[in-house]
Amino acid sequence: MLPYPDLPRRVQVRHRARSLATRRPWPRNETEVTGEGYARLAMLRLLALQRATRRAVQTHQRESAPLLARTAMETCIVGLWCLHDPDAARKIRESEIKVAPSLLTFMSSAGILPDSVIREAVCALGESRKLPDVRSMTEQIDSRTGATLAIHLYDAAYRPASQYFTHASGSALLRHITAKYRYSTKPTKSWARRAPVRLTDACVGLLAGALASHTAEPADLFVRYSEGHAKRVLPPLLVTVSKGMARKLRLADLITTLKEAEETRAHLSRCGPDDEPDDRERHLRAMYNALIARLGIDDVPEEAIRPVVDYFVTKVLADRDAEVTP
């Protein structure tokens, strides 16, 4: 939430990351290209996306910045996957052959070449294969490295950014409806202003650290840089919910809600194991119903509230038992 000035460290990280990516020339023979080579290309693309994302945030391009950050996240994951999959270079070449017919479809539409000729020529290039999806790549990376930062960034930022900014989903379209149910040509802000910069910076440090470790170079600077920025990436969904509650809840309503939550927690902690479970559920449900009423939400089904109520009743009782047990 607080400003995070890091200009000197960012300059140092960019300089070292660029040197890691360009230390060796690109092989002239395609068969000599390795996964590390593609990872170094991903590093160069990340550095360009980092600068473009920062420029978009500085010039208040609210839609461009999240799209650039999402692209940076995908580039980072592909680069990491290339480092940890021994057949990454071959799979990437085969994926290019896979999409080649689609890229050349315009020649068939323009009457230059028949579609059958295009496909026959592409098949002669070799076997075609589709790359794993981004989620599968992330799981492979974390399973082979024993880390969780890649999957954390994917769940916290990549998937929500796709939902709110990239795809024409219901969530993305509803951003053009105001809190007063009016149409707006300007979509609502669904992410913190500097979150795309933080995400891109974290991706640069993450991939640079992996490259440094792969080449037996010091990686401490990159690790600190990536973790420091990753902690400051607020999920878009959290920002959206917080802004919606801030628009509909007055300060007095917020204070009242916090008091009710504390009273409910105190009541649940006093309940014994032999007390009526319906009484615990009634107190917690009353608190949720009051909050929903203040927010003006009247279409939440009972089935959606029950799992939340059951979870918090169980959690409060477990916390109480943990405090009692020496």
Side-chain angles (χ1 to χ4, degrees):
M1 298 296 292
L2 298 176
Y4 190 61
D6 67 335
L7 179 58
R9 188 167 58 160
R10 185 169 72 249
V11 171
Q12 186 180 5
V13 166
R14 286 182 60 86
H15 176 74
R16 286 190 54 191
R18 189 183 301 109
S19 66
L20 281 172
T22 58
R23 184 165 299 173
R24 292 199 298 269
W26 185 258
R28 294 181 179 271
N29 190 346
E30 186 179 358
T31 58
E32 297 177 0
V33 178
T34 62
E36 180 190 340
Y38 280 108
R40 290 189 283 113
L41 291 181
M43 187 73 259
L44 291 177
R45 177 155 173 76
L46 260 181
L47 292 173
L49 289 169
Q50 182 188 32
R51 180 166 291 174
T53 305
R54 189 169 295 275
R55 187 181 300 116
V57 169
Q58 291 172 347
T59 55
H60 299 277
Q61 301 179 41
R62 299 188 304 176
E63 296 299 302
S64 299
L67 293 175
L68 289 167
R70 180 187 179 275
T71 304
M73 181 73 219
E74 184 172 350
T75 304
C76 175
I77 291 174
V78 171
L80 292 171
W81 175 77
C82 288
L83 284 177
H84 296 99
D85 192 313
D87 296 328
R90 177 179 58 83
K91 292 178 181 178
I92 287 180
R93 286 195 294 268
E94 293 174 353
S95 70
E96 292 296 312
I97 298 174
K98 177 73 175 179
V99 301
S102 301
L103 297 177
L104 298 173
T105 301
F106 74 94
M107 299 182 69
S108 175
S109 302
I112 301 175
L113 284 175
D115 185 67
S116 58
V117 174
I118 294 174
R119 294 187 178 278
E120 182 179 354
V122 171
C123 288
L125 297 176
E127 184 181 355
S128 63
R129 180 195 302 253
K130 186 178 180 181
L131 281 179
D133 58 78
V134 179
R135 174 72 185 193
S136 299
M137 288 184 180
T138 310
E139 291 175 349
Q140 292 178 32
I141 294 164
D142 282 349
S143 64
R144 295 184 181 184
T145 60
T148 58
L149 185 56
I151 199 72
H152 165 72
L153 290 176
Y154 176 89
D155 291 335
Y158 181 86
R159 182 181 290 174
S162 301
Q163 183 74 6
Y164 282 104
F165 299 99
T166 305
H167 305 308
S169 61
S171 303
L173 299 178
L174 287 172
R175 293 175 59 213
H176 291 271
I177 301 296
T178 66
K180 296 182 179 180
Y181 299 95
R182 296 182 180 274
Y183 295 103
S184 173
T185 56
K186 182 181 294 186
T188 58
K189 297 179 181 179
S190 297
W191 212 359
R193 177 173 174 264
R194 298 193 63 81
V197 170
R198 299 288 173 248
L199 176 60
T200 308
D201 291 345
C203 290
V204 168
L206 184 59
L207 182 55
L211 264 175
S213 299
H214 188 76
T215 56
E217 296 281 343
D220 294 343
L221 172 65
F222 300 128
V223 172
R224 294 195 305 269
Y225 186 79
S226 61
E227 292 179 350
H229 284 284
K231 293 176 182 178
R232 290 166 174 80
V233 179
L234 293 177
L237 182 60
L238 176 61
V239 175
T240 301
V241 172
S242 300
K243 288 183 177 180
M245 294 182 65
R247 284 197 299 264
K248 295 185 178 182
L249 282 180
R250 299 174 302 172
L251 180 60
D253 294 333
L254 182 60
I255 295 175
T256 302
T257 301
L258 293 176
K259 288 182 178 179
E260 290 176 351
E262 182 59 30
E263 292 173 357
T264 302
R265 187 184 187 286
H267 173 79
L268 293 176
S269 63
R270 290 194 301 268
C271 293
D274 299 330
D275 291 341
E276 185 64 32
D278 292 340
D279 181 62
R280 297 193 293 266
E281 181 177 339
R282 184 169 59 254
H283 276 79
L284 191 56
R285 187 178 294 275
M287 183 195 71
Y288 275 100
N289 289 336
L291 176 60
I292 290 173
R294 295 190 187 100
L295 293 175
I297 304 174
D298 54 2
D299 57 350
V300 179
E302 292 290 327
E303 293 77 8
I305 299 178
R306 177 171 292 278
V308 180
V309 172
D310 293 342
Y311 169 76
F312 278 106
V313 169
T314 304
K315 186 176 186 303
V316 170
L317 293 179
D319 292 345
R320 182 202 61 187
D321 295 340
E323 294 175 358
V324 173
T325 304

